[in-house]
Amino acid sequence: MTLFDHPSLDLGLNIGTSSMAKKRDYNLVKDEKIALEAELDRMNEENKRLNELLAAMQANYAVLQSRLAEFMAAAAAATSTSEGRSSPGRKRIKGGGGESADRAAAGGSTSSAEERESSCGRGRVVMMREEEEARPRTTKLCVRTDPSDASLVVKDGYQWRKYGQKVTRDNPCPRAYYRCSFAPACPVKKKVQRSAGDRSVLVATYEGDHNHGMPSLAPGPSSDHPATGPSPVSVHPSGPTVTLDLTRPRPAGQDQRTAAESPDRFQRRLAEQMASSLTKDPTFTAALATAISGRFLRLSPDHNS
DNA sequence: CGAGTTTGACCCGCGC
DNA sequence: GCGCGGGTCAAACTCG
C-alpha cells in the first residue's frame, strides 16, 4: 500500500549506490589481485632467472676450480723438481712447525692451527707440502657499501666477535679481525678491510670453514631469508669472491611516477618498492652472499678433504 | 652483569 | 741480530 507506494528514494539510491560500490570494490580487489598475480609471476620469473644464473655460476666455478687444481698440481710438480730440498723452512705457515703450541693453547680457539700442528713434522719438505694443502680455506667477499659508512661491518649472517684492529702498511684503512663467536670451537676467522683502491668496497677475507650451521638461517622471527638477489660474482686467485653492490640506486624514473597514479599502479609500485627495499637491505643481501658462497663451498669437489 | 669493542702491547716470522 | 709488519692478546671500556 502506501508503504510500497512511497518507497524511499534515498533507500533505493542507497541500495543502488551500495551495490555499485560493492561492484566497484570487487573490481578494485580484482584489479589488485591481477596486479599482485602479475607481480608474483614477475618475481617467479626473476627467481627462475636468478636460479639459472646461480647454476651457471656454479658450473663456471667448478670448471675454474678444476683448472686451478690442475694448475696447482702442475706448478707443484714443477717446483718440486726445481726446488729440491734447498729451502725446507722457506715458506712457513703461521701455526706450523715454528709456532709454539702453548701459544695456540693460550689462544683458545686455534683449532685450524692445531690441526696443522698435528699433521706436520719439522723440516720435511713432503710434510710442508701436505701442510700447505691442509691450509684452511680462504674466501673473499667484496661488499660495496655506502662510502660514508665508516664501520667495518660485513653482515653475513654469522655472529662475529672482533678481537683486533690494525693499520696495515699497504692500506691506510684499518683492518679488523673477527672470530666466529656463534660456536665456541668454530675455527673461522674473518678479516675486514676497505679496499685501498675503492673506499666504498669492503673486502672480507674468511679463513676456514664453519663447524656449525648459519645462525641467521635458523628458523626465527628475525631471520632474513634470501630468495632472490643481485650480485655479480668473480673468482679471485685466492678463492671464490662474491661482490655485492649494496648502494645500487633504484631504477631511473621510478620516483617520477607520482602524479595521477591509478590504485593498481600504486599497488604495483608499492610491491616493487618493498622488493627493492628488501634487496637493498645489507643484512638480507649479505646473508644471500653467504648463502651463495656457502653453496659454492658445499659444491666444491675438494670440500671436506 | 655479561657480551662485545677498543686499543696498546706483545709475539713471531721474515727480510736485510 | 735487528727492525718491520702482520696477527693476536688482554685489560679497560662501553652498551644493553
Side-chain angles (χ1 to χ4, degrees):
Chain A
M1 321 252 191
T2 55
L3 190 66
F4 295 102
D5 289 342
H6 305 283
S8 164
L9 185 63
D10 287 345
L11 185 63
L13 285 174
N14 282 342
I15 291 168
T17 49
S18 172
S19 64
M20 281 175 66
K22 278 182 184 169
K23 194 167 184 178
R24 216 172 27 236
D25 285 347
Y26 174 74
N27 284 336
L28 271 178
V29 169
K30 198 175 173 183
D31 286 347
E32 194 175 319
K33 181 171 170 254
I34 290 169
L36 285 172
E37 279 175 352
E39 183 67 20
L40 186 64
D41 284 347
R42 197 183 63 79
M43 299 282 260
N44 281 334
E45 279 296 313
E46 192 172 353
N47 192 18
K48 193 177 164 187
R49 195 173 55 80
L50 286 165
N51 273 326
E52 286 168 1
L53 190 64
L54 181 61
M57 277 160 25
Q58 285 169 353
N60 284 341
Y61 174 63
V63 169
L64 283 168
Q65 195 163 49
S66 64
R67 283 184 189 170
L68 178 65
E70 287 170 14
F71 175 76
M72 294 288 275
T79 50
S80 64
T81 53
S82 65
E83 205 172 70
R85 340 179 127 249
S86 61
S87 57
R90 191 178 61 91
K91 190 174 180 183
R92 300 178 58 140
I93 293 191
K94 199 169 171 60
E99 187 83 359
S100 63
D102 56 18
R103 180 178 171 82
S109 61
T110 54
S111 66
S112 59
E114 286 162 7
E115 283 166 14
R116 290 195 302 274
E117 181 109 5
S118 64
S119 68
C120 70
R122 287 177 182 272
R124 292 177 59 180
V125 177
V126 176
M127 297 301 276
M128 287 296 292
R129 202 155 292 290
E130 285 175 357
E131 180 188 8
E132 277 185 13
E133 286 171 1
R135 181 173 42 192
R137 178 187 302 278
T138 301
T139 309
K140 274 190 177 180
L141 174 68
C142 302
V143 181
R144 188 174 292 278
T145 62
D146 188 349
S148 62
D149 182 11
S151 64
L152 287 171
V153 177
V154 175
K155 291 176 185 172
D156 51 17
Y158 287 98
Q159 200 175 332
W160 299 96
R161 176 186 164 84
K162 189 178 181 181
Y163 65 91
Q165 182 167 315
K166 193 91 175 172
V167 176
T168 56
R169 207 173 128 239
D170 56 339
N171 193 334
C173 302
R175 175 185 296 170
Y177 299 90
Y178 296 90
R179 261 196 277 263
C180 181
S181 65
F182 183 70
C186 182
V188 181
K189 289 175 188 172
K190 178 172 83 166
K191 288 180 282 192
V192 180
Q193 189 172 31
R194 291 201 174 275
S195 170
D198 188 352
R199 299 288 179 92
S200 65
V201 174
L202 278 177
V203 180
T205 306
Y206 296 84
E207 287 180 22
D209 293 323
H210 291 277
N211 56 10
H212 55 84
M214 190 180 194
S216 71
L217 289 183
S222 65
S223 62
D224 35 8
H225 293 201
T228 63
S231 72
V233 177
S234 60
V235 177
H236 285 218
S238 58
T241 300
V242 179
T243 305
L244 300 173
D245 189 347
L246 304 183
T247 60
R248 188 179 302 163
R250 72 187 61 203
Q254 198 172 23
D255 290 335
Q256 294 162 4
R257 299 192 306 259
T258 51
E261 270 186 329
S262 60
D264 60 326
R265 197 169 181 82
F266 173 75
Q267 291 278 351
R268 180 183 295 248
R269 201 165 67 86
L270 192 62
E272 283 174 0
Q273 283 186 355
M274 285 169 68
S276 169
S277 62
L278 192 60
T279 54
K280 278 171 71 180
D281 180 0
T283 53
F284 169 81
T285 322
L288 172 67
T290 306
I292 291 173
S293 53
R295 194 160 167 186
F296 280 151
L297 295 181
R298 279 196 300 279
L299 290 171
S300 167
D302 64 344
H303 188 49
N304 297 328
S305 58

